């Protein structure tokens, strides 16, 4: 099955600094989804990208899908303490859209 | 806002015992997923139902795990016997259709999970 790797595994930033997590695959992905999981919580869907080179924004969050559809990034501008959590990328494949999650990037924001 | 319900929220059991988890998806959602999430890792799909049928259980340890969704609504995941390595968060998710819609995957909505500790 497909494997999706994320880097970095952990990131500590000062509040107000920017943060980026990267998602990489050795195979071409049909789509990429991003989820956020707060400490002690469950994954919450953020966004899905399907087109080559696609860029979407949600307030301070910018999501990008690579031209070759093998990588993706999530960038947070001016982090806030509410951004704390683990960010997962995921991708689906097959007729029934089996979703494979990445390894996740745990973000800690220091006030 | 409709949510996926799971119970219990926490379960502590001894190894070799049987445990069962319940999930009630969002009303009208045809697809139901059970995931296992080990601390510090991403969720791993155990089983996926489309209505009452299993469409993927390739990662389900079938010698000890079983799942059913008899009426195509709520679902039960069972482990018998539980082993120490089964300690994890068990997440249930549902989606409206679950199949390729021509614009990507259907959005999955996760429940709060059941945290299992096997002693």
């Amino acid at each position: 099955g497909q494997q999706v790797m994320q880097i970095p595994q952990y990131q500590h930033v000062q509040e107000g600094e920017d943060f980026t997590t990267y998602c990489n695959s050795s195979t071409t992905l049909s789509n990429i989804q991003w989820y956020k999981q707060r400490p002690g919580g469950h994954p919450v869907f953020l966004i899905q990208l399907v087109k080559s080179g696609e860029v979407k924004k949600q307030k301070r969050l910018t999501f990008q899908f690579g031209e070759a559809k093998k990588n993706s990034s999530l960038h947070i501008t001016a982090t806030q303490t509410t951004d704390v959590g683990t960010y997962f990328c995921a991708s689906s494949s097959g007729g029934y859209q089996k979703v494979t999650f990445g390894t996740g990037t745990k973000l800690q924001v220091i006030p | 806002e409709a949510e996926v319900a799971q119970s219990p929220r926490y379960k502590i059991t001894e190894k070799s015992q049987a445990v069962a988890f319940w999930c009630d998806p969002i009303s009208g959602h045809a697809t139901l997923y059970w995931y296992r999430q080990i601390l510090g890792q991403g969720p791993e799909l155990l089983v996926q139902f489309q209505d009452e049928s299993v469409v993927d259980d390739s990662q389900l340890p079938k010698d000890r795990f079983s799942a059913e969704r008899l009426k195509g609504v709520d679902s039960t995941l069972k482990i018998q016997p539980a082993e120490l390595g089964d300690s994890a968060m068990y997440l249930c998710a549902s989606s409206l259709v679950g199949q390729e819609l021509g614009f990507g995957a259907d959005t999955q909505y996760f429940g709060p999970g059941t945290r299992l500790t096997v002693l």
Side-chain angles (χ1 to χ4, degrees), chain A residues 40-41, chain B residues 6-13 19-21 88-89 112-117:
Chain B
Q6 286 189 251
S7 66
R9 294 293 305 277
Y10 304 91
K11 179 69 179 179
I12 300 174
T13 191
V19 291
F21 313 132
M89 175 75 85
T114 297
R115 182 165 295 283
L116 173 66
T117 301

Side-chain angles (χ1 to χ4, degrees), chain A residues 9-10 30-31 33 35 37 40-45 48 50 88 92 94-104, chain B residues 33 35 37 40-43 45 48 50 55-56 58-59 89 91 98-100 103-108 110-112:
Chain A
Q9 190 175 3
Y10 301 97
S30 58
N31 55 67
Q33 298 124 41
Y35 289 79
Q37 186 171 21
H42 57 276
V44 175
F45 175 83
Q48 177 171 228
V50 297
F88 292 99
S92 64
Y96 284 103
Q97 296 298 299
K98 175 179 178 178
V99 175
T100 300
F101 280 79
T103 47
Chain B
Y33 314 79
Y35 289 90
Q37 186 175 27
Q41 298 181 19
L45 181 69
Q48 180 175 342
Q50 187 71 20
V55 296
D56 192 309
S58 56
Q59 299 300 312
M89 175 75 85
L91 292 161
Q99 299 181 27
E100 171 62 51
F103 53 85
D106 200 8
T107 299
Q108 293 190 24
F110 283 81

Side-chain angles (χ1 to χ4, degrees), chain B residues 33-53:
Chain B
Y33 314 79
W34 282 103
Y35 289 90
R36 175 172 59 188
Q37 186 175 27
I38 295 169
L39 195 63
Q41 298 181 19
E44 176 194 17
L45 181 69
L46 292 176
V47 61
Q48 180 175 342
F49 289 92
Q50 187 71 20
D51 299 311
E52 67 277 4
S53 301

Side-chain angles (χ1 to χ4, degrees), chain B residues 16-96:
Chain B
S16 80
Q17 296 297 304
V19 291
F21 313 132
W22 177 78
C23 171
D24 191 13
I26 293 173
S27 178
H29 279 196
T31 311
L32 185 146
Y33 314 79
W34 282 103
Y35 289 90
R36 175 172 59 188
Q37 186 175 27
I38 295 169
L39 195 63
Q41 298 181 19
E44 176 194 17
L45 181 69
L46 292 176
V47 61
Q48 180 175 342
F49 289 92
Q50 187 71 20
D51 299 311
E52 67 277 4
S53 301
V54 173
V55 296
D56 192 309
D57 62 356
S58 56
Q59 299 300 312
L60 188 71
K62 298 180 185 65
D63 57 332
R64 298 186 299 108
F65 286 64
S66 64
E68 60 182 18
R69 192 185 185 199
L70 294 176
K71 296 182 179 180
V73 182
D74 58 337
S75 175
T76 302
L77 178 69
K78 297 179 181 178
I79 308 175
Q80 184 173 17
E83 296 180 353
L84 296 177
D86 295 332
S87 294
M89 175 75 85
Y90 289 84
L91 292 161
C92 178
S94 70
S95 64
L96 186 61

Side-chain angles (χ1 to χ4, degrees), chain A residues 19-93:
Chain A
F19 159 78
T20 305
T21 173
Y22 300 90
C23 184
N24 299 294
S25 170
S26 58
T27 60
T28 302
L29 304 171
S30 58
N31 55 67
I32 197 87
Q33 298 124 41
W34 285 92
Y35 289 79
K36 176 183 178 181
Q37 186 171 21
R38 287 200 165 95
H42 57 276
V44 175
F45 175 83
L46 294 176
I47 208 159
Q48 177 171 228
L49 305 172
V50 297
K51 297 176 183 176
S52 170
E54 189 170 12
V55 178
K56 288 188 178 180
K57 293 188 177 184
Q58 288 180 351
K59 297 183 180 177
R60 295 177 296 105
L61 277 61
T62 302
F63 305 84
Q64 190 165 2
F65 202 7
E67 292 291 340
K69 300 182 75 172
K70 288 186 176 181
N71 55 72
S72 180
S73 64
L74 159 59
H75 179 82
I76 302 178
T77 304
T79 55
Q80 300 175 358
T81 55
T82 53
D83 295 326
V84 164
T86 301
Y87 292 83
F88 292 99
C89 64
S91 187
S92 64
S93 62

